[in-house]
Amino acid sequence: MTVLATDPARNTTHAAPAERLSVLDGWRAVSILLVLAGHLLPLGPSRWEMNEAVAAMGMVIFFTLSGFLITSFLSRGADLRVFIIRRFFRIAPLAWVVMIVLLIMNQSPAKAWVANLLFYANLPPYYLVPGGGHLWSLCVEVQFYLGITLFVMIARHRGLILLPLITLGITLLRIVDHQYINIITWFRIDEILAGGILALVHGGWYGSKPQSVLASISPYWLLPLVLLSAHPAAGMLNYARPYLAAALVGATLFNGPVRLGHLLESRPARYIAEISYALYIFHGALNAGWLGSGSKVVKYAKRPLLLAVTFALAHISTFRFEQPCIALAKRLTRGVAIRAPA
């Protein structure tokens, strides 16, 4: 994957090496595997709370990648119409299909339909439905898309340089309210914004020094720190989770270790990354049905079948449903310029 990186000091646009950014697909695969493991597999005695920590680690890495990719796109002075249309056709079609099925099955009231289909069910009074509880993250994503679009409309793409201040402000809000981890957008969005900061660092917005610092950090030290920061018992370290995850991805983005880099850029990692969105959507919905029912022994006996069905549906959905939707979005935006900064 080639991404155009911008040097604001020179007002030039250049192509970043594709091999450096291919690790992002690997991290996307890692993030969904961590989420699946945290939600579906036994990861030790329940009192250890490892399932919660592993799932939260997967989500913070996913949010970091989302913030990185979206900010990279917008920092190039991208046409906002292109951004909104392509994001809509990437997120909404599959999410709406699954949401509608769940809403019908749960005989949900009209308020739940509106809140879910308009992606604000994660906000109080909460309208997430059984089988769709994990879709809170899509609500955070969509609200982020709308928020950053409005921000760029007002402040222009140059205003993105203020992302560190905004992100620290969100983290400070979490600290003041004692929110270690929460699904409410304003208590979670610093995980996405930290990925946006990493995108600006990668684009040279803050000079070469931050890049050198990240290149000098070993991701092998950061991996356990990110996991620890995602643990419910980690206390104040939870507030550092967005920044540790961004540093972890950045450490592999800027000349990470060869062995880890090869793993992240492997063919299986690329495939899992490609179907990761559908994996995420389907796994929670399927787990709320027969495949996730029964006693603990029965449920775990069904896990191989649940995982097999999840991967099969994700494959079909990705290549038979989602890709045509993405292609349609590209046709609709064909001829609309993705501008480089003036």
Side-chain angles (χ1 to χ4, degrees), residues 49-331:
E49 299 181 296
M50 288 305 298
N51 284 78
E52 293 84 347
V54 168
M57 181 180 180
M59 283 310 308
V60 70
I61 293 174
F62 171 79
F63 279 150
T64 298
L65 298 173
S66 181
F68 182 96
L69 294 173
I70 299 308
T71 305
S72 295
F73 186 74
L74 293 177
S75 67
R76 308 198 307 268
D79 190 294
L80 294 179
R81 292 170 296 173
V82 174
F83 171 70
I84 290 295
I85 292 173
R86 291 188 180 181
R87 283 292 90 193
F88 174 82
F89 279 91
R90 179 68 187 94
I91 296 294
L94 180 60
W96 277 353
V97 169
V98 173
M99 284 178 179
I100 289 172
V101 171
L102 292 172
L103 288 164
I104 292 174
M105 291 178 60
N106 288 286
Q107 298 181 334
S108 303
K111 290 182 178 179
W113 279 75
V114 175
N116 279 273
L117 296 179
L118 295 185
F119 298 100
Y120 66 87
N122 69 313
L123 303 180
Y126 307 109
Y127 288 103
L128 296 167
V129 298
H134 62 301
L135 301 181
W136 66 267
S137 63
L138 295 189
C139 298
V140 175
E141 284 274 318
V142 172
Q143 291 165 40
F144 165 70
Y145 298 154
L146 296 177
I148 199 168
T149 299
L150 181 62
F151 178 81
V152 172
M153 287 176 62
I154 296 172
R156 315 303 296 174
H157 77 280
R158 293 286 182 174
L160 293 171
I161 203 167
L162 299 176
L163 274 188
L165 293 178
I166 299 171
T167 309
L168 289 172
I170 296 295
T171 304
L172 180 60
L173 177 64
R174 289 175 55 210
I175 293 172
V176 170
D177 214 59
H178 306 289
Q179 298 291 337
Y180 289 159
I181 192 165
N182 201 309
I183 68 170
I184 297 176
T185 303
W186 50 85
F187 291 136
R188 197 62 176 265
I189 202 169
D190 54 352
E191 295 184 0
I192 301 180
L193 295 175
I197 296 172
L198 178 60
L200 299 181
V201 168
H202 181 265
W205 283 53
Y206 305 110
S208 60
K209 182 62 176 178
Q211 299 177 358
S212 301
V213 171
L214 288 172
S216 67
I217 300 175
S218 170
Y220 298 119
W221 289 98
L222 288 170
L223 274 168
L225 282 176
V226 176
L227 178 60
L228 182 59
S229 71
H231 197 282
M236 295 286 288
L237 189 60
N238 277 274
Y239 299 130
R241 183 172 57 252
Y243 310 99
L244 290 172
L248 173 62
V249 175
T252 54
L253 195 60
F254 297 104
N255 303 317
V258 174
R259 184 174 300 176
L260 181 58
H262 284 170
L263 178 63
L264 293 173
E265 296 171 18
S266 65
R267 182 175 297 179
R270 290 197 299 270
Y271 171 72
I272 294 173
E274 192 167 11
I275 66 171
S276 60
Y277 179 64
L279 285 173
Y280 184 76
I281 297 294
F282 284 124
H283 88 278
L286 292 172
N287 193 37
W290 178 82
L291 288 170
S293 64
S295 65
K296 182 177 292 187
V297 173
V298 172
K299 284 194 294 186
Y300 285 128
K302 294 178 181 177
R303 282 298 187 258
L305 179 59
L306 186 147
L307 288 169
V309 173
T310 300
F311 272 82
L313 286 177
H315 180 91
I316 296 170
S317 172
T318 299
F319 298 105
R320 299 296 183 183
F321 178 63
E322 296 167 63
Q323 285 192 355
C325 291
I326 295 171
L328 174 59
K330 290 181 178 179
R331 289 196 297 271

Side-chain angles (χ1 to χ4, degrees), residues 27-45:
W27 280 120
R28 189 173 299 279
V30 169
S31 70
I32 186 59
L33 291 177
L34 288 172
V35 170
L36 292 178
H39 289 172
L40 301 177
L41 301 179
L43 301 178

